[in-house]
Each structure stands twice: as C-alpha cells, then as structure tokens.
Amino acid sequence: MFRSVDNQPDQTNQKKSILQLLLSNLSQRFVIFILLAIFGFLIAITLFYCVGEVNFALNKSYLYLPTFFLVILTQITIKLSPHPKSWSRGLIVTILIGLTLRYLYWRSLSTLNLSNITNSIFSVLLLGIEILFTFGTLLQLYLTLKIKDRRHQVAELSRDVINHNFIPSVAILITTYNEPLFILKRTILGCQNIDYPQKTIYLLDDGKRQEIKQLTEALGCQYITRENNDYAKAGNLNNALNQINEDLIAVFDADFIPSINFLNRTVGFFQSSKIALVQTNQNFYNIDPVARNLGLEKELTDEVEIFSRHYQLIRDSIETMVCYGSSFIVRKNYLDEIGGFVTSSVSEDYYTGIKLSAKGYKCIYL
C-alpha cells in the first residue's frame, strides 16, 4: 500500500484513450475469467452429450443431473468455505458460468420458433434481450473475482488514528426534518459514543422545532437550522457547510446509529490526498416486510443487505461505488471545490459522489 503525499488529484486516467483503458484492464484475472468461461462451456456441452447418450427411461429426467451435481457441489463449497476465499469464489463463479452457458446453449438450439418470418423476428429478438441481460450477469461474475478486501489496509491505517498520529477534526452532521425526538436522541448518543478525540456533533433541523433545540442543549451538541427548506436535505447540508470549519464531514440520517469505531476505521484513508469520500456499510435492524410476511426472515437476505454487501463491493472493485446518503465521511475542502452537495437532484448523495470522481478524486467503499 502506498500513501500519496501530493496535493493534486491524479489526472492520468483522464488522459488515457478508451482503447488504452480497455487494454490496461486486460489483467491476469480477466484472462482467467475468459478461460473459466470457455472451460465451463465445454463442461456443459460434454455433460449434455455424455449424459444424453444414456437412456434412463425416466422421461428424460437425466437432463437435470448436471444441474443437480453442480448445485450439490456449490453447497459443499459453501460449507467448506463459509467466508469466501480465492479458491471457493473461483469455483462458485465457474459453476455459475457453466450453468449460464448451459442455459444459453439450450435456449439457442431448442426454443426458437422459426416457423415463419413474424415468429422468427420476435423469437430471435427475445433471445437477443436474454443474451444482453445474461452478459450483465457474466460481467458481474467477472468483477466478483476482483473484489477488494480492505481489511488489512484498514488495520494499518487505523493504527495511525488510534495512536493519534493522524487525527484531523471531524464534523458529524445529523440531518432531520420531522423525526420523533426519541429517534434523534438515540442517534445523537450513538454519535457521542464514537471513539475519537476531535469530533463535533451538529444537528441540522429543517423542522425548526424548539423541543429538538432543547434536546441538543441537554445533550451538549450543536444545533443548526435555517429560514427556508430550499433543496431539502442537500440544502440543509450546504447550509451547515458554510458554518463549520472541520477538516472532514461525517453524515448520518436521523435514524442511524454508528458503531463506536466508525471514525477510527475511516479517517485513516484520508492520509492519501486522492481520497475524497469513504462510504461504509449500513444495515437495518427492522425485519424486511416481505420476508417477515413469508416467515422467512432468517433465510431471505433483504435487498439493502445484498446491495451493501455484494453490489457495493463489486462496484468498489472498479471504483464506481455509490454514495447513498448516510454513514459516509467526506473531505470538506473537496466538497467546497465542487460547490457543496448537488442540489439539482433529489439523489444528492449519488451525484455528489459522481462530481468528486469527475474531478479525479477517489470515492471508496468500506
């Protein structure tokens, strides 16, 4: 791991042509991915023909045997490696590639309706749409092989923060409009409990409520409000930016409770001048309504959890992670450089991350 000591964003990638970027991404993992795809396709075809020559007299149920075998192999792999390792991730990806290509093989040769021109057009068009979506799936599988494990990096960077070798000032901003007092109290207490010496908590109240102001006075944190509610949450945050001078800004929605080591785990990344924003994982203690109604809350992973623990890791591997509005920390002077949080969209978090990336800075996911 290298730490940057310059004060300018790296503009190298911006000067590369599209062809150069494509060539630079032809890494060893990409070659392995292509080989796995070819290998999986050959296995699928071989199993299909080998098993197809045997007559089990079971109404062609033998066609399902390769799939059953691969599913069983998948379950064995998960049991042997509950936490993904290089070998287990590679094996699972190979199995998924084999199943996907086996499906495309069947779909292309056994399901097309070419009886006349009209049927042919719609049948081939539908197949093309499926292939397009399948390509997206295969791309995700490839990126799964490139997931970054930042645990060792965090351990080293956190040491500098814990030893007080790097402790920039941090403003913790909690945005609120009409959330109940007891919700805000839990969030404020959670932020106060964060283990970090140089932090200041600001409650940004767009509801202009006297009882909330009294709560902040009782708990010893700062209270900021404004005359109007222009630009909603983005405007609320930008109003606070003009009144604070801390080096870094951590943002939480009104119903979020951070872990005690939140700043110790994130601040160290900002020793590199290229880092603009660190988005962290978030999950909810409320049970997903669909899973609860089905009685499968312990078996079904909710959508937010899948996005946080799967898709965000994939996006981070190609530096396209999404800032989703809470539990992130950002460098204030870089925010000032782009004019604060984006106000032209209700997705101010998403587009703010894009603007920071467009300036050549890095937004990463932990």
Side-chain angles (χ1 to χ4, degrees):
M1 188 216 36
F2 298 91
R3 297 179 187 166
S4 172
V5 295
D6 64 287
N7 295 319
Q8 298 294 329
D10 186 6
Q11 303 293 333
T12 304
N13 288 338
Q14 297 181 354
K15 297 179 181 179
K16 289 183 178 180
S17 66
I18 295 178
L19 179 60
Q20 288 174 318
L21 287 173
L22 289 174
L23 291 176
S24 65
N25 283 321
L26 290 177
S27 61
Q28 182 180 1
R29 286 176 176 172
F30 179 78
V31 175
I32 293 175
F33 173 78
I34 296 298
L35 292 176
L36 287 175
I38 296 173
F39 182 66
F41 184 70
L42 293 176
I43 290 178
I45 294 178
T46 302
L47 288 174
F48 176 76
Y49 279 110
C50 289
V51 177
E53 292 176 356
V54 181
N55 183 10
F56 285 91
L58 294 176
N59 196 24
K60 296 186 177 180
S61 60
Y62 60 86
L63 293 175
Y64 297 101
L65 288 178
T67 300
F68 289 150
F69 170 76
L70 293 177
V71 169
I72 292 173
L73 181 59
T74 299
Q75 294 303 313
I76 294 174
T77 304
I78 293 174
K79 293 294 183 182
L80 293 177
S81 178
H83 299 287
K85 297 180 175 62
S86 297
W87 71 268
S88 58
R89 182 180 288 115
L91 180 58
I92 295 296
V93 167
T94 302
I95 291 173
L96 292 174
I97 290 174
L99 290 173
T100 302
L101 295 178
R102 171 66 181 88
Y103 169 77
L104 289 179
Y105 175 84
W106 167 81
R107 181 71 175 82
S108 302
L109 300 182
S110 303
T111 66
L112 292 180
N113 184 354
L114 306 178
S115 58
N116 55 58
I117 295 179
T118 303
N119 289 338
S120 299
I121 291 175
F122 283 100
S123 186
V124 173
L125 181 62
L126 181 59
L127 175 62
I129 294 173
E130 286 195 50
I131 291 176
L132 181 63
F133 279 101
T134 303
F135 174 77
T137 301
L138 293 175
L139 180 60
Q140 285 186 25
L141 290 174
Y142 164 62
L143 294 178
T144 300
L145 296 174
K146 301 182 64 178
I147 283 179
K148 295 178 180 178
D149 185 352
R150 298 189 182 275
R151 286 177 295 180
H152 299 295
Q153 184 183 13
V154 168
E156 181 177 345
L157 296 175
S158 296
R159 195 178 302 118
D160 294 330
V161 179
I162 295 172
N163 295 333
H164 293 180
N165 296 325
F166 180 72
I167 48 171
S169 58
V170 178
I172 299 177
L173 307 184
I174 304 170
T175 57
T176 178
Y177 176 66
N178 60 1
E179 289 80 10
L181 186 144
F182 78 93
I183 291 287
L184 289 169
K185 184 176 181 180
R186 288 190 301 183
T187 302
I188 294 173
L189 291 175
C191 291
Q192 288 178 329
N193 198 42
I194 294 176
D195 182 18
Y196 192 79
Q198 294 202 68
K199 68 178 188 292
T200 306
I201 301 170
Y202 298 87
L203 188 68
L204 315 183
D205 182 21
D206 256 4
K208 297 177 281 292
R209 295 163 290 173
Q210 188 62 31
E211 66 272 19
I212 300 302
K213 183 177 182 180
Q214 293 173 356
L215 174 66
T216 59
E217 292 173 351
L219 295 180
C221 62
Q222 305 299 313
Y223 178 83
I224 297 178
T225 188
R226 54 182 178 150
E227 293 298 324
N228 56 61
N229 293 347
D230 291 348
Y231 303 115
K233 180 182 175 181
N236 195 6
L237 289 169
N238 287 337
N239 176 64
L241 287 181
N242 298 325
Q243 304 179 51
I244 61 178
N245 298 304
E246 282 79 4
D247 302 314
L248 303 174
I249 296 171
V251 178
F252 293 100
D253 285 342
D255 56 349
F256 274 71
I257 303 176
S259 60
I260 190 173
N261 61 353
F262 176 83
L263 292 178
N264 284 339
R265 297 276 289 176
T266 56
V267 167
F269 283 103
F270 293 92
Q271 294 177 82
S272 167
S273 63
K274 292 181 173 63
I275 301 297
L277 184 148
V278 178
Q279 175 68 62
T280 68
N281 170 65
Q282 56 184 236
N283 51 61
F284 297 88
Y285 50 81
N286 306 77
I287 298 174
D288 178 71
V290 176
R292 182 191 60 200
N293 292 339
L294 294 173
L296 298 174
E297 58 269 20
K298 294 183 178 180
E299 285 76 25
L300 291 181
T301 306
D302 63 83
E303 185 177 354
V304 174
E305 190 76 2
I306 293 174
F307 181 77
S308 295
R309 295 191 179 275
H310 178 65
Y311 288 107
Q312 280 282 62
L313 293 175
I314 290 177
R315 298 182 69 94
D316 186 48
S317 68
I318 53 174
E319 299 183 0
T320 61
M321 76 90 201
V322 174
C323 174
Y324 41 43
S326 183
S327 52
F328 69 88
I329 182 168
V330 61
R331 201 186 297 265
K332 183 179 184 297
N333 61 330
Y334 290 178
L335 264 182
D336 294 335
E337 187 178 328
I338 63 171
F341 290 92
V342 174
T343 58
S344 58
S345 170
V346 293
S347 302
E348 80 290 330
D349 43 10
Y350 177 72
Y351 286 104
T352 298
I354 289 178
K355 287 192 72 173
L356 289 170
S357 298
K359 295 288 290 186
Y361 303 123
K362 289 186 177 181
C363 300
I364 64 175
Y365 182 73
L366 177 61

